[in-house]
Amino acid sequence: MNLDILGLSGVIDQDTEFIPLFSKDDENRMNNEEVPESLPLLPLRNNVLFPGVVIPITVGRDMSIKLIEDVMQSTKTIGVVAQKDPKTENPTPEDLNEIGTVARIIKMLKMPDGSKTVIIQGQRRFQITEMVQTEPYFVANVDALPKEEIIEDKRFSALIESIKDLANRIIHESPNIPSEASVAIKNIESPSFLVNFIASNLDRPVDIKQGLLSTLDLVKRAEKLLEILTEEHQILELKNDIQSKVKVDIDKQQREYFLNQQMRQIQEELGGNPVDQELQEFKKRVKTKKLPKNVKETIEKELSKLERLNPSGVEYSVQSNYIDTILELPWGEFTKDNFDLKRATKVLDEDHFGLEKVKERILEHLAVLKIKKDMKAPILCLAGPPGVGKTSLGKSIAKALDRKYVRMSLGGLRDEAEIRGHRKTYIGAMPGRVIQSLKKAGSSNPVFILDEIDKVGHSAQGDPSSALLEVLDPEQNSSFYDNFVEMDYDLSKVMFIATANNLADIQPALRDRLEIIEVSGYTVEEKSQIAKKHLIPKQLKEHGITKAQFQAPNKTIVKLVEEYTRESGVRNLEKRITKLIRQTAKHIALEEEYDTEVKPDHLKGIIGPGHARNKYEGNEIAGVVTGLAWTSVGGDILFIETSITPGKGLITLTGQLGSVMKESATVAMQYLKAHAADLGLEASIFEKWNVHLHVPAGAIPKDGPSAGITIFTALASLFTQRKVRNKMAMTGEITLRGKVLPVGGIKEKILAAKRANITTIMLCEDNRQDIEDIDEKYLKGLTFHFVEEMKQVMDFALLNTKVKNPIQIVKKEEKKEEKK
């Protein structure tokens, strides 16, 4: 509602007195007022005049000014009609509504700008019947509309009370309407004037007001007005609700602003604003740190952006974290390499026993670095069973070079973002682990260990091993791109060393970038030396025990290695030594008497009984042959056992054999059938006997082609009942043509053979090179026999001696004897 019009309770100005509210006498006089047959018309653009209502009108158009001047000199009565379109500047008769209100001019005021303001009061409604004049202003013939009747009805009275109540509520809730307006509404006695008065002051378009004026039935007009007031009240409530919320937010912001200002003052008294101090610290670091030109320009731009951000906003912390990370990275910071090769040799020998090839490769690299200075670092990959010192070797290399050492475990890594980082726009974004490790090292040329590179996982988040391709390519890693840093970082000076247990699990493209160095297992002698020189002193120091309080002679260590560990490395050996030292610590803590020297006989009481070892079991039984196998923890021996029973020539395989191993058994049987004559066997006997082939340790899956000649020899021994050469083991793949093919893991298999007291080993001729590459100390006490064909295997492995109580198998020679 727009109740700030002076017509609310009358008109007050310098020349007039207060005009009272519309009374009953005024209503009667207004209803009895005669309407002239013709009236000069005053078009209104933005308002509608209702009977009884007083409103001021500003007259500015020439035709309207002319009309007012003429009327003021005569009757002072005009007809007021609203335009259909308020935007029309020069209306025609068609632009005017047909129903209007007779008005009496109460007063005319001349304004300084030349316009005139007239105060008019509505009388009665009329309808235009004919336009009789258009110049200089409109004059029309009109008919008076029916008078307002007084309605005595409870429902109508209730309707009027509802309008009054709703109008008062709007007045009280609207901040733009003076509270005096409610007093005026309460003092209006005439229902028709109340409806007209409120309708005139509605803040609604002209067409809605004109609709109310054209509604002649008072009851219907009142109902329409109530509907409009209800809608306006709902809109007002919604506005007030929104404004109250906005006010609360503004008050909260103002409160936070004042509190922040107070905090700033307090902080300045205490030594400065932390935000300003942080910005100054960043700027100081940018000046003092030697940054590449492109990095410096980027940081200065990011700092400028940080200064414009609100410190309490989320973006501020993200931006601050980004700048801090970039400034902490060791851009162009390198440690000076120590190229004293004698010192490096000494460090490597002190920290690791054996591993001669690895040490030689490291020294070669140091020699080239010393000569060329700027050689791109190769990517070394130490491959071998667990516990042989691959990871700890990285520490020794860093120590020998005087470089920083960092290690990143890749086992189970499934997200590519762990390598390349997240974009800084994400919440909780961080750089990749490569950049984080360099930040931790504080150097751009550390020794970087990529541990367990063969155990990188795969997931929907990407393939981390593919992300490593750029990191581990010397031609690409000079411009490594991290998603968080968003700038190229030079990794070409980093010495990457990867470790792996199984090379087959490494992605081919990644493996192609690695320089593979095989790290094999240790012999019993080597393990004993490692225990004496490294493991025992290390554990004594960690447990606070002195050498005088704990002693382990060589015999004890050898027994510990042979009977309590079955591995290529020394990790389990270290656990057993730790158990012995803890027992000593317990005696010391309880102040008990004990033997400081741990003898071999003491091991069973402290650790428990030793493990049963795979030992050679003799050659008294036909069809049982010792083979050599490679496992993830080093080499081992296995037994191929066979037996026959009368039947129809079926073959049964047990022991959790893989598909490749089963195929080897099929190939061996087929070759044996095809060359039965070479062994003096009748071909028909293979159809009269069922064969069962078993590999013990049935709970452990076994697969691979290397047991081919072992399976063939076991089947040949079984059918001929000839003994197998004593203390002999063999490994090699076989073919249907009778060829023996080379296999891998030779060194681990040889060590396993030595542990099992094997003296003779049969290998493929092509594996001779592998034997020549092995240190002679590993080969001591072993005899090697190299073969190319399976006939050579039979000739060498099978003796002419029969086993005791042989199974009666019909042979060609025996048949010939019977015929004679």
Side-chain angles (χ1 to χ4, degrees):
M1 293 180 69
N2 187 16
L3 297 179
D4 56 348
I5 300 175
L6 293 176
L8 171 68
S9 57
V11 179
I12 302 176
D13 59 30
Q14 296 177 354
D15 302 321
T16 61
E17 296 181 355
F18 176 74
I19 299 176
L21 285 170
F22 199 74
S23 63
K24 288 184 178 182
D25 293 337
D26 292 331
E27 185 176 12
N28 292 331
R29 179 184 55 77
M30 182 184 69
N31 286 331
N32 295 325
E33 190 79 28
E34 292 294 332
V35 177
E37 292 182 2
S38 64
L39 284 172
L41 301 180
L42 176 65
L44 296 185
R45 301 172 74 177
N46 297 309
N47 208 346
V48 176
L49 178 64
F50 285 81
V53 178
V54 178
I55 60 172
I57 300 295
T58 300
V59 181
R61 288 187 285 210
D62 293 338
M63 61 183 299
S64 299
I65 294 173
K66 178 64 176 172
L67 182 146
I68 295 299
E69 290 176 347
D70 290 349
V71 171
M72 286 298 293
Q73 296 175 5
S74 57
T75 61
K76 295 186 180 181
T77 300
I78 60 174
V80 177
V81 291
Q83 292 179 191
K84 294 178 181 178
D85 186 2
K87 296 180 181 178
T88 303
E89 183 65 31
N90 297 310
T92 62
E94 288 75 17
D95 295 325
L96 304 179
N97 288 296
E98 292 183 356
I99 296 177
T101 306
V102 178
R104 182 172 61 88
I105 298 177
I106 299 174
K107 189 174 181 60
M108 183 179 71
L109 303 173
K110 292 183 180 181
M111 308 306 291
D113 59 356
S115 64
K116 296 181 179 180
T117 298
V118 291
I119 298 173
I120 59 176
Q121 183 177 31
Q123 300 290 323
R124 287 183 61 181
R125 290 175 175 81
F126 67 84
Q127 184 173 5
I128 298 174
T129 58
E130 183 184 4
M131 189 69 65
V132 296
Q133 178 182 315
T134 58
E135 293 295 339
Y137 45 80
F138 297 125
V139 177
N141 293 333
V142 299
D143 287 341
L145 294 177
K147 301 177 181 178
E148 297 282 1
E149 296 182 1
I150 299 174
I151 301 173
E152 298 291 342
D153 181 63
K154 290 183 178 179
R155 183 178 177 280
F156 180 71
S157 300
L159 182 60
I160 295 300
E161 288 299 323
S162 297
I163 291 173
K164 274 189 177 184
D165 181 59
L166 198 53
N168 284 322
R169 285 160 63 186
I170 292 173
I171 292 169
H172 289 141
E173 293 177 11
S174 176
N176 299 322
I177 303 176
S179 58
E180 292 82 1
S182 61
V183 178
I185 289 176
K186 287 179 182 178
N187 290 325
I188 295 176
E189 299 176 358
S190 170
S192 62
F193 177 66
L194 178 69
V195 173
N196 292 338
F197 177 71
I198 295 176
S200 176
N201 290 284
L202 285 174
D203 190 11
R204 282 290 183 269
V206 173
D207 56 343
I208 294 178
K209 291 184 177 183
Q210 182 65 35
L212 289 171
L213 180 67
S214 301
T215 304
L216 303 180
D217 189 308
L218 180 58
V219 177
K220 290 182 179 180
R221 197 188 316 147
E223 289 174 348
K224 281 187 178 181
L225 178 62
L226 182 62
E227 183 180 341
I228 294 171
L229 288 176
T230 302
E231 181 183 352
E232 185 164 351
H233 183 253
Q234 291 175 351
I235 294 173
L236 183 61
E237 283 185 332
L238 185 60
K239 286 182 178 178
N240 289 338
D241 185 43
I242 294 171
Q243 288 177 355
S244 64
K245 288 181 180 179
V246 172
K247 184 179 180 182
V248 169
D249 291 341
I250 292 174
D251 289 346
K252 183 180 178 182
Q253 291 177 4
Q254 289 177 342
R255 181 173 177 273
E256 290 178 352
Y257 173 77
F258 287 122
L259 288 175
N260 286 329
Q261 289 296 107
Q262 292 177 357
M263 187 181 294
R264 184 174 297 176
Q265 293 295 329
I266 294 171
Q267 288 167 349
E268 288 178 358
E269 290 291 332
L270 294 175
N273 187 349
V275 175
D276 294 338
Q277 288 181 346
E278 184 181 36
L279 288 171
Q280 294 303 321
E281 180 67 23
F282 282 152
K283 291 179 180 179
K284 183 178 178 182
R285 289 166 66 184
V286 170
K287 289 181 180 179
T288 56
K289 197 175 180 70
K290 294 181 180 179
L291 298 172
K293 184 179 179 182
N294 64 317
V295 177
K296 191 171 184 178
E297 290 175 355
T298 302
I299 288 297
E300 288 175 350
K301 190 184 298 181
E302 297 297 329
L303 269 175
S304 177
K305 189 188 298 182
L306 182 67
E307 289 178 334
R308 297 192 299 269
L309 292 175
N310 183 3
S312 60
V314 178
E315 290 185 3
Y316 184 90
S317 60
V318 173
Q319 189 76 358
S320 175
N321 180 45
Y322 173 72
I323 294 173
D324 186 58
T325 301
I326 300 300
L327 289 175
E328 284 191 9
L329 285 176
W331 300 93
E333 297 178 17
F334 304 98
T335 55
K336 188 177 181 181
D337 291 332
N338 188 336
F339 294 117
D340 186 349
L341 299 188
K342 292 183 180 179
R343 175 181 173 275
T345 304
K346 183 180 178 182
V347 170
L348 293 173
D349 288 339
E350 284 177 354
D351 293 347
H352 291 82
F353 187 85
L355 305 178
E356 302 302 332
K357 277 192 175 182
V358 181
K359 295 175 183 176
E360 183 181 355
R361 176 65 187 84
I362 299 301
L363 292 174
E364 288 173 359
H365 176 63
L366 292 180
V368 175
L369 274 178
K370 184 176 183 179
I371 296 171
K372 197 166 183 291
K373 304 294 184 183
D374 61 346
M375 176 187 174
K376 290 184 178 179
I379 313 299
L380 306 180
C381 179
L382 306 177
V388 294
K390 300 186 299 296
T391 304
S392 61
L393 189 63
K395 287 186 179 179
S396 299
I397 295 172
K399 182 179 176 183
L401 285 169
D402 279 347
R403 286 193 180 190
K404 298 292 182 67
Y405 168 82
V406 287
R407 172 183 166 272
M408 185 172 78
S409 177
L410 299 175
L413 196 71
R414 302 173 65 88
D415 191 351
E416 181 187 350
E418 291 287 336
I419 305 296
R420 290 190 177 277
H422 303 81
R423 297 196 179 279
K424 64 179 180 180
T425 52
Y426 294 112
I427 296 175
M430 294 187 300
R433 292 174 63 182
V434 175
I435 294 296
Q436 289 184 45
S437 299
L438 292 177
K439 173 182 166 183
K440 180 180 178 182
S443 168
S444 291
N445 65 335
V447 174
F448 200 122
I449 304 297
L450 297 168
D451 219 2
E452 311 291 354
I453 198 171
D454 57 329
K455 297 178 179 61
V456 175
H458 304 274
S459 72
Q461 281 73 34
D463 182 6
S465 61
S466 298
L468 284 170
L469 295 178
E470 182 185 4
V471 178
L472 299 182
D473 192 340
E475 299 299 326
Q476 297 181 37
N477 62 12
S478 59
S479 57
F480 172 68
Y481 185 85
D482 186 277
N483 290 328
F484 182 84
V485 176
E486 295 182 341
M487 287 180 284
D488 291 340
Y489 195 93
D490 186 3
L491 300 179
S492 61
K493 301 297 188 294
V494 179
M495 186 174 185
F496 287 102
I497 300 177
T499 70
N501 298 132
N502 188 3
L503 293 175
D505 293 336
I506 303 176
Q507 183 184 359
L510 184 59
R511 181 177 176 179
D512 185 59
R513 287 163 166 77
L514 304 175
E515 184 174 336
I516 307 298
I517 300 176
E518 296 284 350
V519 184
S520 57
Y522 298 110
T523 62
V524 174
E525 294 77 12
E526 286 177 330
K527 287 185 179 181
S528 300
Q529 292 298 319
I530 291 171
K532 285 181 182 178
K533 296 181 178 180
H534 300 284
L535 303 182
I536 293 177
K538 174 186 173 184
Q539 293 302 324
L540 287 176
K541 182 179 180 181
E542 290 187 1
H543 289 79
I545 307 297
T546 63
K547 292 182 179 180
Q549 294 171 321
F550 177 87
Q551 296 175 1
N554 191 58
K555 290 183 179 180
T556 302
I557 296 173
V558 171
K559 185 174 182 179
L560 202 61
V561 171
E562 291 182 341
E563 298 185 15
Y564 289 87
T565 61
R566 293 176 59 186
E567 57 170 350
S568 296
V570 293
R571 194 165 284 143
N572 284 327
L573 176 60
E574 186 174 12
K575 292 178 182 177
R576 301 292 182 264
I577 291 172
T578 304
K579 172 67 175 174
L580 299 178
I581 294 176
R582 285 202 304 267
Q583 186 72 13
T584 300
K586 176 185 172 184
H587 291 311
I588 294 173
L590 294 174
E591 298 181 355
E592 297 174 346
E593 293 186 3
Y594 70 98
D595 193 346
T596 57
E597 183 178 311
V598 180
K599 298 177 181 178
D601 298 339
H602 297 164
L603 295 179
K604 185 176 181 180
I606 299 174
I607 302 176
H611 301 296
R613 296 182 57 195
N614 283 344
K615 293 184 178 181
Y616 180 75
E617 297 181 355
N619 64 340
E620 299 302 319
I621 300 175
V624 179
V625 183
T626 305
L628 298 175
W630 181 91
T631 68
S632 61
V633 294
D636 203 354
I637 66 170
L638 55 80
F639 301 103
I640 305 295
E641 301 178 344
T642 57
S643 66
I644 57 174
T645 56
K648 298 181 180 180
L650 301 178
I651 182 169
T652 304
L653 305 175
T654 57
Q656 275 212 68
L657 307 186
S659 59
V660 177
M661 205 165 180
K662 289 178 181 178
E663 291 168 0
S664 295
T666 303
V667 171
M669 180 60 80
Q670 289 300 116
Y671 183 84
L672 200 59
K673 289 179 181 179
H675 299 81
D678 296 340
L679 293 171
L681 298 175
E682 192 72 37
S684 61
I685 67 170
F686 294 103
E687 299 176 359
K688 299 177 181 178
W689 298 87
N690 291 340
V691 177
H692 187 161
L693 187 148
H694 177 68
V695 182
I700 302 173
K702 310 166 192 72
D703 200 8
S706 63
I709 63 172
T710 313
I711 294 173
F712 169 72
T713 305
L715 292 173
S717 172
L718 177 71
F719 280 103
T720 61
Q721 292 294 295
R722 289 163 61 181
K723 288 185 178 181
V724 179
R725 188 174 295 274
N726 189 35
K727 291 189 176 181
M728 185 186 71
M730 57 187 70
T731 181
E733 184 180 355
I734 59 175
T735 71
L736 277 175
R737 294 177 298 158
K739 297 291 183 181
V740 179
L741 303 181
V743 293
I746 297 300
K747 182 178 179 182
E748 284 78 9
K749 292 175 179 178
I750 289 173
L751 294 177
K754 289 195 70 173
R755 289 195 295 267
N757 298 321
I758 300 291
T759 58
T760 304
I761 296 177
M762 182 183 290
L763 300 169
C764 173
E765 179 65 36
D766 292 339
N767 283 125
R768 186 186 293 271
Q769 182 64 39
D770 296 317
I771 300 299
E772 292 174 356
D773 289 341
I774 298 174
D775 197 318
E776 290 185 1
K777 64 183 177 183
Y778 296 108
L779 309 178
K780 189 176 181 181
L782 294 175
T783 302
F784 295 93
H785 185 76
F786 299 98
V787 296
E788 292 181 340
E789 297 183 354
M790 293 163 69
K791 287 183 180 180
Q792 295 175 309
V793 176
M794 291 188 294
D795 294 342
F796 183 79
L798 299 181
L799 304 175
N800 292 323
T801 307
K802 296 289 186 72
V803 298
K804 296 179 181 179
N805 300 320
I807 298 174
Q808 298 300 319
I809 299 178
V810 180
K811 299 180 181 177
K812 282 171 48 176
E813 290 81 1
E814 291 174 348
K815 279 194 172 185
K816 290 178 182 179
E817 292 286 337
E818 290 175 1
K819 286 180 181 180
K820 289 180 182 180

